[in-house]
């Protein structure tokens, strides 16, 4: 006994002797950088599903869950043997309005000779950025110095500001 393969608006095929139907609900999705999104789909119960993405540097997909990694456009494919459906994914450019840089501490009091380490962070929307480099500068090195690692040293009595610069995606 064979398997009849019929197109009914959604992708249809044969999966181990049974008719398989699958359909991605969205034809296209637009995401902000680092946004996560669950693609909606329908598939015949028990079908073996495989997810793939044309350019995994732009977006990743795992069981239909997308994570936007960088600006660009790519496609995500849901497949069950010879049957597949495709969704176009567009990831928007970095929105600086969603970018926040925090020095970690807004004010520190130290005695001459004491040190503390700054713990800066960068968030984009609600996500804490991992791939960030920081640089530091003191407004008065003779009073307060700061190392490349963010270690602040009180050198003399007085007050100084430490400027923290974050660089992410070649933007500071």
């Amino acid at each position: 006994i064979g398997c009849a393969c019929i197109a009914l608006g959604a992708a249809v095929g044969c999966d181990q002797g049974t008719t398989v139907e699958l359909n991605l609900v969205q034809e296209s999705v637009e995401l902000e950088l680092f946004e996560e999104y669950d693609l909606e789909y329908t598939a015949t119960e028990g079908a073996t599903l495989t997810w793939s993405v044309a350019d995994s540097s732009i977006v990743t997909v795992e069981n239909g869950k997308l994570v936007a990694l960088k600006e660009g456009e790519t496609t995500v494919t849901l497949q069950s043997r010879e049957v597949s459906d495709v969704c176009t994914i567009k990831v928007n450019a970095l929105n600086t309005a969603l970018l926040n840089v925090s020095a970690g501490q807004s004010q520190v009091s130290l005695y001459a000779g004491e040190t503390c380490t700054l713990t800066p962070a960068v968030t984009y929307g609600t996500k804490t950025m991992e791939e960030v480099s920081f640089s530091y500068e003191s407004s008065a090195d003779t009073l307060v110095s700061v190392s490349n690692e963010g270690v602040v040293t009180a050198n003399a009595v007085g007050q100084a500001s430490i400027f923290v610069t974050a660089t992410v995606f070649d933007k500071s």
Side-chain angles (χ1 to χ4, degrees), residues 3-172:
C3 174
C5 300
I6 306 168
L8 300 172
V12 178
C14 299
D15 188 35
Q16 300 175 342
T18 62
T19 301
V20 173
E21 294 184 33
L22 62 86
N23 182 45
L24 285 166
V25 174
Q26 303 90 346
E27 290 182 18
S28 64
V29 174
E30 189 170 331
L31 302 173
E32 294 300 322
L33 201 57
F34 308 113
E35 184 178 358
E36 295 181 5
Y37 184 84
D38 289 315
L39 284 173
E40 296 176 45
Y41 64 94
T42 58
T44 303
E45 187 174 331
T48 303
L49 303 177
T50 304
W51 292 92
S52 61
V53 61
D55 187 343
S56 60
S57 71
I58 295 172
V59 68
T60 62
V61 63
E62 186 173 330
N63 296 322
K65 183 177 189 133
L66 303 174
V67 178
L69 302 177
K70 76 174 190 181
E71 177 185 6
E73 192 169 303
T74 189
T75 57
V76 170
T77 302
L78 173 59
Q79 185 168 353
S80 181
R81 298 208 180 242
E82 74 280 355
V83 178
S84 63
D85 201 3
V86 177
C87 180
T88 301
I89 311 298
K90 179 182 179 193
V91 178
N92 294 320
L94 182 70
N95 180 348
T96 55
L98 298 175
L99 198 59
N100 182 44
V101 179
S102 167
Q105 301 91 327
S106 60
Q107 186 172 342
V108 177
S109 295
L110 299 172
Y111 290 102
E114 289 186 328
T115 64
C116 74
T117 302
L118 297 176
T119 55
V122 175
T123 55
Y124 187 79
T126 60
K127 179 178 174 38
T128 300
M129 303 293 299
E130 304 286 329
E131 307 276 328
V132 180
S133 62
F134 296 98
S135 60
Y136 307 91
E137 184 180 343
S138 173
S139 64
D141 280 332
T142 56
L143 300 176
V144 178
S145 58
V146 60
S147 72
N148 293 335
E149 293 77 32
V151 177
V152 176
T153 303
N155 298 318
V157 175
Q159 185 174 350
S161 296
I162 303 296
F163 300 97
V164 179
T165 303
T167 302
V168 58
F169 299 115
D170 299 324
K171 297 188 186 311
S172 296

